[in-house]
């Protein structure tokens, strides 16, 4: 069976799923997107993803040409059409077809695209062993430039950091912000553990407010683990006992080495394991209860 892609209301075979070279999503990275997981046939944290998509669109003055209930139904339709029970959804809204000039006023209709497919961000064994990462020399976009809170189609900032990671022979990189404090990784939020508590940078530190990050907050609350949003310096990472990353595609992945330095014992930490297990148990529970959205 051919993979089907949803484009502006139609399910189209992957080979024919194409957009115009005049779409400003391609010409200028003008658009927004979401990455969403489907577990056991249910869209995980659907409302949170829809909210962030519509907020991102609002922040770039883009009107999504459909109601969020209809977008949700279209995502469900795309997943079903491809026969998936567990997959990753990429939902995109581009500024649409316009002229060779950046003005969005020349783009009368935004395009909505939904892909359902498999994703594997990091090799499976790193979830057991832990991952080595680096800090990139490129900094995260200044919040007063393109806010990292916007999940925009322009990921060059993140891609440049990813290339640094690849050049250094590791799968991921940390971006510091314009003040030199820790922001996030190229597609994941970062957490550390210290003296029984976990810490993660604040929204004001210039991050995408991850939905997996918020799930971790809730899990910490129910497990009685202290979880603090706080500005972190690279020093805090270097002296942390544990470190892990969270993201829709990545889920929860341990970090055991940063810039060549072992974090804590250099092994996956106990809190990281506890939260990883709790995350997978939670995902299973909401899928079974049907309360994921
Ligand atoms: N930061 C960035 C830059 C990302 O691209 C992502 C992935 N969407 C995240 C953090 C993690 O966010 P979420 O948990 O919502 O996937």
């Amino acid at each position: 069976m051919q993979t089907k892609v949803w484009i502006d209301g139609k399910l189209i075979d992957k080979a024919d799923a194409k957009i115009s070279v005049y779409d400003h999503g391609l010409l200028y990275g003008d658009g927004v997107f979401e990455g969403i997981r489907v577990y056991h046939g249910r869209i995980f944290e659907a409302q949170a993803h829809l909210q962030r998509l519509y907020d991102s669109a609002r922040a770039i003055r883009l009107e999504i040409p459909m109601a969020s209930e209809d977008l949700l139904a279209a995502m469900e339709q795309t997943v079903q059409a491809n026969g998936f029970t567990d997959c990753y959804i990429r939902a995109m809204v581009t500024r649409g077809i316009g002229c060779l000039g950046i003005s969005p006023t020349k783009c009368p209709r935004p395009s909505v695209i939904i892909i359902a497919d498999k994703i594997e961000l990091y090799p499976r064994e790193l979830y057991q062993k832990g991952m080595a990462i680096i800090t990139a020399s490129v900094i995260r976009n200044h919040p007063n430039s393109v806010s990292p809170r916007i999940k925009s189609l322009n990921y060059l900032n993140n891609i440049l950091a990813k290339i640094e990671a690849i050049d250094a022979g590791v799968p991921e990189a940390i971006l510091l912000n314009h003040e030199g404090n820790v922001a996030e990784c190229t597609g994941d939020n970062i957490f550390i553990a210290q003296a029984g508590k976990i810490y993660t940078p604040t929204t004001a530190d210039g991050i995408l407010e991850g939905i997996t990050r918020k799930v971790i907050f809730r899990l910490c609350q129910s497990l009685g683990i202290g979880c603090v949003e706080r500005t972190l310096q690279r020093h805090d990472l270097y002296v942390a006992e544990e470190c892990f990353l969270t993201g829709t595609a990545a889920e929860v992945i341990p970090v055991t080495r940063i810039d060549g330095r072992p974090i804590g014992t250099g092994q996956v930490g106990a809190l990281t394991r506890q939260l990883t297990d709790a995350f997978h148990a939670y995902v299973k529970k909401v899928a079974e209860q049907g309360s994921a959205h």
Side-chain angles (χ1 to χ4, degrees):
M1 189 184 72
Q2 265 260 30
T3 301
K4 301 272 187 200
V5 178
W6 195 98
I7 304 182
D8 294 327
K10 293 197 196 79
L11 280 167
I12 296 170
D13 283 343
K14 180 177 168 180
D16 303 319
K18 297 188 174 133
I19 59 152
S20 166
V21 293
Y22 284 84
D23 191 308
H24 280 209
L26 175 69
L27 285 174
Y28 302 114
D30 186 355
V32 293
F33 78 100
E34 274 299 315
I36 311 171
R37 283 255 183 200
V38 176
Y39 292 110
H40 311 286
R42 295 193 179 273
I43 299 178
F44 185 62
E45 294 289 320
Q47 287 311 331
H49 282 287
L50 285 166
Q51 184 70 51
R52 190 170 65 184
L53 183 69
Y54 280 77
D55 286 350
S56 290
R58 196 176 164 85
I60 68 159
R61 311 276 301 271
L62 172 67
E63 198 172 327
I64 299 179
M66 59 197 292
S68 72
E69 307 84 76
D70 298 332
L71 190 51
L72 178 60
M75 290 197 288
E76 283 167 344
Q77 187 195 358
T78 311
V79 171
Q80 277 158 21
N82 287 291
F84 284 125
T85 49
D86 291 86
C87 68
Y88 177 84
I89 299 172
R90 171 62 49 90
M92 279 166 273
V93 187
T94 74
R95 188 75 66 178
I97 297 170
C99 309
L100 296 180
I102 66 167
S103 177
T105 58
K106 303 279 172 54
C107 306
R109 200 184 150 80
S111 258
V112 181
I113 301 163
I114 304 166
I115 304 172
D117 213 331
K118 296 282 173 193
I119 191 163
E120 194 187 87
L121 214 58
Y122 308 116
R124 246 358 293 161
E125 71 267 16
L126 295 184
Y127 285 81
Q128 293 307 320
K129 264 186 18 200
M131 186 158 66
I133 65 176
I134 56 153
T135 39
S137 68
V138 66
I139 62 162
R140 190 73 177 104
N141 285 337
H142 193 293
N144 293 338
S145 172
V146 178
S147 171
R149 297 174 73 179
I150 301 170
K151 200 163 168 58
S152 90
L153 284 182
N154 193 320
Y155 252 51
L156 265 180
N157 184 206
N158 314 53
I159 291 163
L160 290 177
K162 188 78 164 185
I163 291 170
E164 288 189 42
I166 295 164
D167 285 346
V170 295
E172 192 50 81
I174 300 162
L175 291 125
L176 304 177
N177 68 14
H178 57 287
E179 288 171 329
N181 297 319
V182 177
E184 59 183 341
C185 290
T186 67
D188 313 316
N189 292 113
I190 186 162
F191 287 78
I192 56 169
Q194 191 74 33
K197 276 194 187 169
I198 69 165
Y199 298 88
T200 193
T202 71
T203 302
D205 291 319
I207 59 165
L208 182 78
E209 295 158 293
I211 288 160
T212 321
R213 175 178 177 268
K214 285 192 189 128
V215 171
I216 293 291
F217 292 172
R218 294 209 297 272
L219 292 174
C220 281
Q221 197 160 32
S222 65
L223 293 167
I225 300 170
C227 176
V228 184
E229 288 177 81
R230 207 192 76 187
T231 298
L232 298 176
Q233 295 174 328
R234 193 154 53 169
H235 174 85
D236 296 305
L237 307 183
Y238 289 164
V239 300
E241 287 163 7
E242 301 181 28
C243 179
F244 62 88
L245 312 181
T246 65
T248 296
E251 301 178 304
V252 184
I253 183 153
V255 170
T256 46
R257 206 169 263 275
I258 300 176
D259 296 332
R261 300 163 182 245
I263 300 305
T265 62
Q267 306 293 317
V268 179
L271 271 178
T272 303
R273 282 213 193 281
Q274 189 185 1
L275 284 166
T276 306
D277 292 348
F279 177 78
H280 290 293
Y282 177 73
V283 160
K284 193 159 180 279
K285 190 182 89 188
V286 289
E288 282 165 5
Q289 287 175 347
S291 57
H293 58 260

